[in-house]
Amino acid sequence: MARTLDADPEPLLRGSGVDANTPPRGDAHIAVERYFEVWRRAMALFDHGFPLRVASAFRHEDNEIFGFLAMSCANIGEAFDRTLHYSRLYTVGATYEMDVDRDATRISWLPWPGALDDVGYRAAMDYHMANMEQAIRQLGHSPPRPVEVRLRHAAPPGATEYLSFYGTTPRFGCPRYELVYPVGLREVGVTTFNSRLRDYFDLECRKMIEKLGAANTVTAQVRKTLIGVMDGGDSGIEAIAKRLGMSTRSLQRRLAEEQTSYNDLLAEVREEFAKRYLARGTLTASEVAYLIGFTEPPAFFKAFKRWTGLTPREFQERG
């Protein structure tokens, strides 16, 4: 899109891990802060409508197997559910969710943490919202247009490009990023539905997820991050989610998908490090409590008894 506007994309992408002249590997990911930096550089050159124009250029084929899976599903609802299940192939730390009630179908974008006044962050949010609307247009057989578009950031000067893209002027400064559609969006048929291809691409996505390996699961990332703060650092879920570039809600959802919870992982890591520290014999139980994130020693004593059946002193005495 930059090239169509007579701009050189190479300076925009410099340092991002993406070569302007060579398509990246399908399984390549870049750090989210580098992603925001690309948008900051772009917005220094182009107007606020640029993210919408980038979204307009999106094609499902660009996402290869992930996109082909969506294109082969029976309806919008199935395409959303199946691709959401494999969203880790596409992005980590942010996601969409769909809620249906008797009045409307709402698609929410749950993004990475960021500052709403950061021009790069704001541009990325505009892109991802428009990208979902563009995806629905391409997939569905005469899909409805959104009846309402809700954006968290403030309105830019003028909103004509938003009106042109969405068919409605967004509401700015909302609590969430949401696209609101009429009831029945999930049942809208996909024009390229093919059940045999759907099953094939679903299997290929499953294989790719398995190839990523356990080391790339959110569970493994949380454990690794928690281990890094078992020295008196902040082990609260908000702090860990921020370190991983996720919202707290997204982190909880991803862990639930992997059949665990933040509290369970925190307890496992705390127990492991409490035993390590106590086994040294050089730290008091109160000092250990502080290091693993307990603000009050009695709460640590109670938790340690629950984990091991022993008090910290009994554990040390038994060697």
Side-chain angles (χ1 to χ4, degrees), residues 70-137:
M71 294 168 64
S72 305
C73 288
N75 52 53
I76 296 291
E78 183 182 50
F80 185 92
D81 294 343
R82 287 189 183 243
T83 53
L84 184 65
H85 183 69
Y86 299 117
S87 62
R88 190 155 52 94
L89 297 174
Y90 177 70
T91 186
V92 176
T95 190
Y96 295 96
E97 67 177 22
M98 182 184 290
D99 295 307
V100 180
D101 56 36
R102 65 181 183 179
D103 300 318
T105 301
R106 296 176 177 83
I107 297 179
S108 301
W109 167 238
L110 307 175
W112 308 272
L116 295 178
D117 58 355
D118 175 355
V119 65
Y121 184 80
R122 189 170 64 242
M125 300 305 102
D126 273 337
Y127 168 74
H128 284 280
M129 290 289 285
N131 179 256
M132 175 55 74
E133 161 62 7
Q134 178 73 359
I136 290 171
R137 288 184 207 172

Side-chain angles (χ1 to χ4, degrees), residues 115-259:
L116 295 178
D117 58 355
D118 175 355
V119 65
Y121 184 80
R122 189 170 64 242
M125 300 305 102
D126 273 337
Y127 168 74
H128 284 280
M129 290 289 285
N131 179 256
M132 175 55 74
E133 161 62 7
Q134 178 73 359
I136 290 171
R137 288 184 207 172
Q138 289 185 27
L139 284 176
H141 181 70
S142 300
R145 300 297 300 276
V147 296
E148 194 171 345
V149 177
R150 300 168 182 167
L151 304 176
R152 288 188 62 210
H153 51 264
T160 55
E161 296 224 31
Y162 291 92
L163 176 60
S164 176
F165 182 85
Y166 289 112
T168 184
T169 300
R171 289 174 53 197
F172 295 91
C174 295
R176 296 178 62 157
Y177 288 103
E178 286 186 320
L179 297 169
V180 183
Y181 293 89
V183 174
L185 175 68
R186 288 186 61 88
E187 289 71 40
V188 172
V190 172
T191 57
T192 49
F193 169 55
N194 185 310
S195 61
R196 294 182 66 180
L197 286 177
R198 175 198 61 199
D199 294 344
Y200 168 77
F201 290 125
D202 190 277
L203 177 61
E204 292 301 305
C205 284
R206 199 178 316 148
K207 289 178 181 177
M208 291 179 71
I209 285 285
E210 290 170 356
K211 278 178 64 176
L212 287 176
N216 287 325
T217 65
V218 175
T219 299
Q221 293 177 50
V222 170
R223 278 188 58 85
K224 182 178 179 180
T225 307
L226 283 172
I227 287 170
V229 297
M230 288 293 118
D231 58 358
D234 189 346
S235 59
I237 188 171
E238 295 83 3
I240 300 302
K242 186 174 182 180
R243 282 172 174 255
L244 295 175
M246 301 185 189
S247 67
T248 301
R249 188 173 178 179
S250 294
L251 177 57
Q252 291 170 324
R253 182 182 300 103
R254 297 294 297 278
L255 290 174
E257 290 172 359
E258 295 178 10
Q259 300 182 327

Side-chain angles (χ1 to χ4, degrees), residues 244-299:
L244 295 175
M246 301 185 189
S247 67
T248 301
R249 188 173 178 179
S250 294
L251 177 57
Q252 291 170 324
R253 182 182 300 103
R254 297 294 297 278
L255 290 174
E257 290 172 359
E258 295 178 10
Q259 300 182 327
T260 188
S261 71
Y262 184 80
N263 287 338
D264 287 346
L265 292 174
L266 178 59
E268 290 173 12
V269 175
R270 277 177 164 174
E271 179 183 355
E272 177 182 340
F273 273 78
K275 291 176 178 177
R276 288 188 192 183
Y277 286 137
L278 289 170
R280 292 180 185 177
T282 58
L283 297 170
T284 67
S286 294
E287 289 171 331
V288 172
Y290 166 75
L291 289 172
I292 64 174
F294 283 89
T295 55
E296 297 294 335

Side-chain angles (χ1 to χ4, degrees), residues 15-16 30-41 112-115 118 120-121 245:
S16 70
I30 66 169
V32 70
E33 183 51 42
R34 293 183 179 181
Y35 177 60
F36 295 151
E37 180 59 26
V38 171
W39 281 112
R40 291 185 195 106
R41 294 172 184 173
W112 308 272
D118 175 355
Y121 184 80

Side-chain angles (χ1 to χ4, degrees), residues 10-30:
E10 195 280 327
L12 301 181
L13 295 169
R14 189 175 298 140
S16 70
V18 177
D19 189 315
N21 300 304
T22 305
R25 300 191 328 273
D27 61 349
H29 284 244
I30 66 169

